[in-house]
Amino acid sequence: MRVVIVGGGFAGTFLAYYLCEMKASLPGLEIILISRTNYLLFQPFMVEAITGDIDIRHLISPLRAMLNYPCVDIRTTDAESVDFNRRIVYTSNGTVSYDKLIVATGSETNFYGIPGAKESCLELKQLKDVLIIRNTLLKSFERANIEENKETQSRHLTFAVIGAGPTGVELATGMCEFIHETLLKYYHRVHIEAINILLIDAAPRLLPGFETSLVEWAENRIKHMNIKLMLNHKVQKIDGDIIEFTNGSSIEARTIIWTAGIQASSFVRSMGLPYDHLGRLSVDSKLKLPNRPDVFVLGDAARAINLKTGEPLPPEGQVALQQAKYVANLLVAEQEGRPYPAFKFIRLGRLASLGSKNAITQILWFRFKGFKAWWLWRSVYLFRYRGMRNKLRILFDWTFSLFFDRDISLIE
Ligand SMILES: Cc1cc2nc3c(=O)[nH]c(=O)nc-3n(C[C@H](O)[C@H](O)[C@H](O)COP(=O)(O)OP(=O)(O)OC[C@H]3O[C@@H](n4cnc5c(N)ncnc54)[C@H](O)[C@@H]3O)c2cc1C
């Protein structure tokens, strides 16, 4: 059986790994992994790489090392389209035929067609974005440090993060701490009052999905950090440095980072199949495309329904990982001619960091905030990171950052 997996992210890579581990039950298994990059990017630690808590190189693991099995063939290329009738994937470097196709191409930033947003904002999705945001931050400080005048400095040092979900909150608080604990020590001419960090969201509440008590705690912490929280502010247009809101107000920020939403990858949206408002393909309870029993869609690209709530599952790493394991087991069951139940998502928890040494976590029935939550946050994600080599590298970075200052080199 030839399984073709498109997308070397959480869902695709872990599915390939689980299948290899179950190879004994899948005679003749051949896996072709089509991936745009030759590494797996561990997105939950991206903010820590921006702030220099971990080395940017330690965010990634080479796919060939993670999946060094004889049955795996990794092709670093872009998948372009699929002919479902002939069971062929077209890539930028030739075609690949399949018996089972797994679409796991994840998501990209969704600017919701807001005029100027795509052109004016930085985003946080790929590895290069980490370097771009980090360099923009450092360049702003280099530039401001040349200026005498506080107002001119302020123009360079106003950072707006749009989207107060976990990524936006982690980014705004992480940047704030990096600036106050590290950068201000070295940029002697920068006035502390010239620094403005804005966290903007259209909703009346930040961190959707988290319990109210944790959200309130996070909100207080954000305010205590002097981050300007602008809830109920829906962006209407962005014109260069000017963010305009639907309530008629506007604000100026030299650096604007968009973390307000995602949509399924363009590969999925260009398949010619119906997709929802976030570009996701609807799948049945076994994560298959309707009427296409040989095609599965996983992770951020899928609109899979949570059987317990009736709502679509959120775009989260834990969903992608559980789906990967489920499909591996399902393929074995199908091979053996056994019936297999529908996919059931089990929420293990929600975690969000608020700068280093602070976080909020809800794990099963337990709720934590502050340092304990932060320690848990780190342990949970470190546990998820695959391979001893990667775990040790991250552990070393964290230990190092406890005793030494974060790196502030501007590498272009
Ligand atoms: C900054 C950030 C922080 C996050 N933090 C958390 C967190 O703390 N907890 C959590 O649960 N989730 C978190 N997430 C979400 C989580 O990372 C995603 O839900 C998860 O990665 C989805 O897995 P996936 O396999 O669907 O997509 P991805 O992991 O994004 O993988 C998709 C892969 O497909 C590749 N690809 C795309 N198009 C093509 C193509 N045409 N051809 C070939 N390859 C292609 C991409 O390059 C990518 O490698 C975070 C996301 C971000 C951006």
Side-chain angles (χ1 to χ4, degrees):
M1 175 171 60
R2 178 185 276 189
V3 179
V4 173
I5 302 172
V6 185
F10 273 118
T13 305
F14 278 84
L15 172 61
Y17 168 75
Y18 293 135
L19 286 173
C20 292
E21 292 292 300
M22 297 173 182
K23 193 177 177 313
S25 313
L26 293 162
L29 173 70
E30 186 192 350
I31 300 169
I32 298 183
L33 175 62
I34 300 171
S35 178
R36 182 172 285 161
T37 58
N38 81 344
Y39 54 77
L40 170 71
L41 171 63
F42 200 77
Q43 292 171 338
F45 288 157
M46 282 163 96
V47 170
E48 295 214 58
I50 291 172
T51 58
D53 282 297
I54 61 173
D55 189 322
I56 188 169
R57 281 181 49 81
H58 299 169
L59 286 177
I60 54 174
S61 309
L63 289 176
R64 289 181 196 283
M66 289 180 74
L67 298 170
N68 191 15
Y69 297 87
C71 62
V72 180
D73 175 8
I74 296 171
R75 307 205 182 163
T76 307
T77 183
D78 251 47
E80 288 175 343
S81 59
V82 181
D83 183 334
F84 292 110
N85 294 327
R86 293 171 61 209
R87 294 186 170 181
I88 289 176
V89 179
Y90 293 88
T91 77
S92 24
N93 290 290
T95 58
V96 182
S97 63
Y98 65 84
D99 297 314
K100 302 281 179 196
L101 174 65
I102 319 293
V103 178
T105 45
S107 54
E108 48 197 46
T109 304
N110 191 349
F111 294 100
Y112 305 104
I114 293 173
K118 192 173 169 35
E119 295 74 21
S120 308
C121 297
L122 305 179
E123 48 188 305
L124 183 56
K125 206 65 192 103
Q126 302 174 43
L127 186 63
K128 70 174 171 54
D129 301 328
V130 172
L131 207 57
I132 292 172
I133 295 178
R134 181 176 159 78
N135 283 351
T136 306
L137 188 63
L138 291 169
K139 274 185 197 164
S140 307
F141 270 80
E142 293 296 347
R143 187 70 186 79
N145 202 55
I146 295 170
E147 302 291 343
E148 230 18 279
N149 181 290
K150 209 194 291 178
E151 276 67 48
T152 321
Q153 284 195 353
S154 185
R155 271 207 288 281
H156 292 290
L157 297 179
T158 299
F159 307 96
V161 176
I162 302 178
T167 303
V169 166
E170 290 189 359
L171 181 61
T173 53
M175 275 174 29
C176 181
E177 213 167 69
F178 180 42
I179 289 170
H180 287 274
E181 285 186 359
T182 308
L183 297 184
L184 279 176
K185 256 200 249 175
Y186 298 101
Y187 291 87
H188 303 292
R189 287 156 55 89
V190 165
H191 298 273
I192 189 166
E193 308 83 35
I195 300 162
N196 293 302
I197 301 176
L198 320 171
L199 181 57
I200 300 166
D201 204 295
R205 181 187 192 267
L206 66 159
L207 293 167
F210 280 84
E211 271 189 10
T212 310
S213 64
L214 294 178
V215 173
E216 282 168 0
W217 190 86
E219 204 169 317
N220 284 336
R221 164 111 193 115
I222 286 167
K223 286 179 184 158
H224 178 74
M225 291 175 92
N226 251 341
I227 295 171
K228 189 171 177 195
L229 189 56
M230 298 172 66
L231 298 174
N232 291 309
H233 276 75
K234 189 166 192 226
V235 177
Q236 176 173 277
K237 184 181 169 193
I238 303 180
D239 188 1
D241 296 355
I242 309 291
I243 308 169
E244 293 176 15
F245 300 103
T246 48
N247 63 10
S249 64
S250 64
I251 201 156
E252 187 178 344
R254 183 61 56 91
T255 304
I256 310 172
I257 309 168
W258 186 272
T259 63
I262 55 168
Q263 59 185 334
S265 70
S266 53
F267 171 68
V268 159
R269 285 180 285 125
S270 62
M271 272 179 170
L273 298 171
Y275 54 78
D276 73 357
H277 67 295
L278 297 177
R280 299 171 299 185
L281 300 176
S282 288
V283 289
D284 64 18
S285 62
K286 292 191 172 173
L287 308 178
K288 298 178 185 194
L289 278 184
N291 307 319
R292 298 259 174 227
D294 50 350
V295 183
F296 296 81
V297 189
L298 312 185
D300 290 2
R303 186 180 202 275
I305 299 298
N306 186 337
L307 294 181
K308 216 165 142 191
T309 63
E311 296 292 320
L313 290 169
E316 289 176 14
Q318 57 182 320
V319 174
L321 292 179
Q322 288 182 31
Q323 290 180 333
K325 186 141 216 180
Y326 171 83
V327 171
N329 283 315
L330 176 67
L331 288 179
V332 170
E334 284 185 351
Q335 176 86 9
E336 293 171 351
R338 280 188 287 118
Y340 202 70
F343 172 71
K344 258 198 219 119
F345 172 63
I346 299 168
R347 174 161 291 289
L348 302 172
R350 291 183 199 274
L351 305 97
S353 72
L354 293 141
S356 70
K357 303 187 191 54
N358 262 303
I360 49 171
T361 58
Q362 47 190 73
I363 298 180
L364 301 174
W365 303 274
F366 304 101
R367 306 287 175 263
F368 300 100
K369 41 197 183 240
F371 179 78
K372 219 189 293 173
W374 171 79
W375 185 84
L376 255 173
W377 176 86
R378 285 201 155 177
S379 311
V380 165
Y381 283 121
L382 191 64
F383 177 73
R384 287 238 194 108
Y385 213 22
R386 270 209 59 75
M388 193 46 78
R389 181 168 163 264
N390 295 327
K391 285 191 169 90
L392 286 177
R393 291 200 306 188
I394 298 275
L395 255 182
F396 178 77
D397 283 345
W398 283 341
T399 313
F400 195 83
S401 71
L402 283 178
F403 298 103
F404 299 95
D405 253 351
R406 299 163 171 121
D407 181 26
I408 56 163
S409 323
L410 178 55
I411 305 166
E412 295 198 82

